Amino acid sequence: MPIAAVLFDLDGTLVDSNDFHIRAWQQAFRDAGHPIPVDAIRGQIGKGGDNLVPALLPGLPQAEQEALASAEGEIFQRDHLAQVRPFPRARDLLARVRDAGSRIVLASSAGAEQLDHYVDLLDARALIHAATSKDDVDRSKPDPDIFAAALRQADVAPEQAIAIGDTRWDVLAAAKCGIRSLGVLSGGTPERELREAGAVAVYPDVAALLDAYEASPLAR
């Protein structure tokens, strides 16, 4: 069955932002009196704050969880967002997918404001069919809400879609919706973790996926 829609994660997949988010989370935790090791934070990147904070600080009251997530967003926006750049050939891959006749839906755990910034950064507004963020759903990845919303926006069945992401949380969230996933290593997650989560193929980055497009699941 042809691929009717490709659902793209953003952070770590299309834009090089994961390390900046790690720094922002580390500062937010430290400022609130919760020093968390960088490696522990790195293992949770890809989740929204609603799932990341309780994974690292179980039992923390809801109000404090929300305050930490809000602080990370403010720190990232203020100190790091302007430094984020697209990965090489990210827009070229989007254009290739669109030219092949597939709908592009961005499916990100970022907030709507960051997502909108990234669309402009990628110069992708004319390429995408729709976009969904954590602000559109009750729960972020690895819960399935973001990909479920993306499927509805694309108006396709799960077997007609494929997701592309850089963390196991992307792969697990997509799988809960019955969507196959391709993994990229550009966000720092090891290939073994992506494959164990269920990725059907893994590429170094979106440029490598574009180079291998005709032999990839995107063209099958």
Side-chain angles (χ1 to χ4, degrees), residues 127-209:
L127 300 175
I128 64 172
H129 175 76
T132 187
S133 75
K134 68 178 182 181
D135 294 342
D136 300 318
V137 298
D138 292 331
R139 298 168 300 175
S140 69
K141 301 168 187 173
D143 288 303
D145 303 32
I146 288 172
F147 281 118
L151 277 180
R152 290 193 297 271
Q153 290 177 325
D155 193 24
V156 300
E159 59 270 19
Q160 294 177 287
I162 197 160
I164 301 176
D166 68 296
T167 72
R168 64 182 183 271
W169 315 122
D170 297 310
V171 178
L172 292 170
K176 290 172 185 175
C177 295
I179 304 167
R180 294 176 300 150
S181 291
L182 306 182
V184 289
L185 302 176
S186 46
T189 300
E191 180 173 357
R192 174 185 52 80
E193 290 188 21
L194 293 170
R195 291 194 180 275
E196 287 178 352
V200 298
V202 177
Y203 300 87
D205 50 29
V206 288
L209 174 54

Side-chain angles (χ1 to χ4, degrees), residues 83-97:
Q83 302 175 70
V84 174
R85 294 292 180 267
F87 283 113
R89 304 178 72 197
R91 188 186 188 279
D92 295 339
L93 178 60
L94 295 176
R96 179 70 179 83
V97 169

Side-chain angles (χ1 to χ4, degrees), residues 5-90:
V6 182
L7 316 179
F8 281 91
D9 174 59
L10 273 166
D11 288 294
T13 301
L14 294 174
V15 299
D16 190 3
S17 55
N18 282 7
D19 283 346
F20 295 122
H21 275 294
I22 291 167
R23 294 176 201 172
W25 275 117
Q26 186 180 34
Q27 182 176 339
F29 283 126
R30 184 174 59 244
D31 290 350
H34 304 289
I36 304 289
V38 168
D39 286 347
I41 297 171
R42 187 179 300 278
Q44 299 299 319
I45 290 296
K47 297 180 177 182
D50 61 311
N51 282 318
L52 184 151
V53 176
L56 294 173
L57 294 172
L60 196 70
Q62 184 70 26
E64 293 183 42
Q65 293 182 30
E66 293 173 358
L68 278 165
S70 178
E72 189 276 339
E74 291 172 4
I75 293 165
F76 180 81
Q77 184 89 11
R78 183 189 68 224
D79 297 340
H80 303 297
L81 182 61
Q83 302 175 70
V84 174
R85 294 292 180 267
F87 283 113
R89 304 178 72 197

Side-chain angles (χ1 to χ4, degrees), residues 80-135:
H80 303 297
L81 182 61
Q83 302 175 70
V84 174
R85 294 292 180 267
F87 283 113
R89 304 178 72 197
R91 188 186 188 279
D92 295 339
L93 178 60
L94 295 176
R96 179 70 179 83
V97 169
R98 192 277 311 271
D99 291 347
S102 298
R103 294 178 176 178
I104 293 170
V105 181
L106 304 181
S108 174
S109 286
E113 187 176 353
Q114 285 179 25
L115 188 151
D116 197 55
H117 173 81
Y118 291 153
V119 171
D120 288 335
L121 191 66
L122 289 157
D123 188 24
R125 205 163 293 279
L127 300 175
I128 64 172
H129 175 76
T132 187
S133 75
K134 68 178 182 181
D135 294 342

